[in-house]
Amino acid sequence: MTGTSAAARSSRESTTTRMPRVQDFTLQVCATHEAGPYTRLRVRCPELLNPRKSDELLPTAWLRLLVPDGGRQHQRGYTLVECDHRTGEASIYMLHHDPAGPGSRWARSARPGDRIDAQLLAGQLYLQPPPDARALYVGDLASAPAIAGAIAAAPASCDIAVVLQAEPGSWSPVPHTACTLTVVSPDAGEDALIEAVTTIPGRDYAWLALEASAAQPLRAALIAAGLPRDAVQYQGYWRRGTPMGRTVETSARAAA
Ligand SMILES: Cc1cc2nc3c(=O)[nH]c(=O)nc-3n(C[C@H](O)[C@H](O)[C@H](O)COP(=O)(O)OP(=O)(O)OC[C@H]3O[C@@H](n4cnc5c(N)ncnc54)[C@H](O)[C@@H]3O)c2cc1C
């Protein structure tokens, strides 16, 4: 018989109800520098990054930044990497893309001492590859920071392949020495990406994060190629031609 005991259920429910759906924070910019197509921001937030919380932030954890632009706030997702729970600091790599949006514009103008409001949403999921897994990460320059963080956290015994949709020669934070990296130009199209991904032999774990319309067909192709459905995690990270996040009036924040 399957089921959950009343005690376990009630303990889980009380844990769930204690967790706020959205936690608000303010990040302070400590340092900025241009890193290839990104601005790398070192940010400080001891309320979020401290030894007590070190188990709460999974690899690929991200914040919803409330980016000020044009008198309003624009919600945009950005990944926390290089977290140091002793100093309360982490890095965010914010990509400059064309056409630019509020997120990339704000990153270019950010200076040490600036502050930005951010939200941590409950329920973020990331399943770590098990020891000895033959893991595959597929992404682009927006998800390359998350892939770098995931590789840093993966068991050392994993064999890791990365397929990155990017202009050949583009810099990204993905650590070349810790994985086998294949770069596919966006100009080569979706079929070329699918072919590059499905011809990597013997994978038993996959994590995909791409433009929203590309993630689902790639997942389907991997499942058709033999990966178990529950071994494939995927997420759209941005939407071609339209902003991914909502624009909110300052007064609407409390209700979000
Ligand atoms: C969970 C999660 C984590 C993320 N982590 C990161 C991260 O660490 N670093 C990072 O740079 N991005 C990350 N992103 C992606 C980022 O949130 C989007 O790229 C976002 O749209 C950028 O906001 P913007 O204001 O600069 O542009 P927007 O106002 O959203 O978009 C303006 C225009 O640019 C286009 N555009 C948006 N993003 C891209 C892109 N990546 N490439 C090409 N064109 C684009 C849009 O289609 C639109 O036409 C993450 C997204 C998610 C969901």
Side-chain angles (χ1 to χ4, degrees):
M1 178 186 144
T2 56
T4 316
S5 77
R9 222 169 30 240
S10 115
S11 138
R12 203 169 53 224
E13 278 159 11
S14 61
T15 309
T16 309
T17 45
R18 271 206 306 271
M19 263 307 261
R21 195 170 65 84
V22 174
Q23 295 178 67
D24 292 293
F25 298 96
T26 300
L27 310 182
Q28 180 167 24
V29 177
C30 307
T32 70
H33 79 255
E34 299 308 301
Y38 305 87
T39 296
R40 175 184 178 270
L41 301 165
R42 192 72 183 155
V43 295
R44 188 160 192 280
C45 182
E47 297 75 23
L48 172 65
L49 297 149
N50 60 63
R52 278 179 291 109
K53 299 225 174 200
S54 59
D55 290 339
E56 285 179 22
L57 288 178
L58 301 173
T60 77
W62 57 281
L63 292 176
R64 183 157 81 184
L65 298 193
L66 304 179
V67 180
D69 191 85
R72 292 189 289 178
Q73 284 179 327
H74 305 263
Q75 302 179 342
R76 296 290 185 268
Y78 286 96
T79 308
L80 286 172
V81 292
E82 301 159 4
C83 299
D84 184 337
H85 289 275
R86 285 174 309 105
T87 62
E89 293 183 5
S91 302
I92 301 177
Y93 288 82
M94 297 179 71
L95 179 67
H96 300 298
H97 50 81
D98 187 22
S104 59
R105 276 197 293 274
W106 180 83
R108 273 207 202 286
S109 67
R111 296 290 173 265
D114 287 355
R115 290 168 180 272
I116 187 163
D117 290 335
Q119 298 178 325
L120 177 68
L121 276 61
Q124 296 189 21
L125 292 178
Y126 173 73
L127 297 177
Q128 180 99 291
D132 302 323
R134 290 160 301 167
L136 171 65
Y137 291 89
V138 186
D140 58 20
L141 292 176
S143 55
I147 293 174
I151 292 176
S157 60
C158 289
D159 166 15
I160 298 177
V162 175
V163 178
L164 204 60
Q165 191 175 44
E167 287 307 333
S170 309
W171 184 87
S172 88
V174 171
H176 295 225
T177 50
C179 64
T180 308
L181 177 64
T182 305
V183 176
V184 180
S185 167
D187 298 338
E190 196 175 285
D191 288 349
L193 181 67
I194 289 178
E195 190 186 340
V197 165
T198 50
T199 50
I200 294 178
R203 299 293 115 181
D204 49 26
Y205 167 103
W207 185 93
L208 327 171
L210 291 154
E211 196 277 330
S213 66
Q216 170 66 30
L218 194 57
R219 171 179 180 263
L222 278 168
I223 292 168
L227 249 90
R229 196 169 283 271
D230 60 3
V232 185
Q233 301 167 76
Y234 75 105
Q235 187 169 357
Y237 262 37
W238 57 282
R239 245 184 231 121
R240 190 174 313 283
T242 180
M244 182 91 167
R246 287 198 303 142
T247 296
V248 290
E249 302 299 336
T250 309
S251 56
R253 271 193 58 203

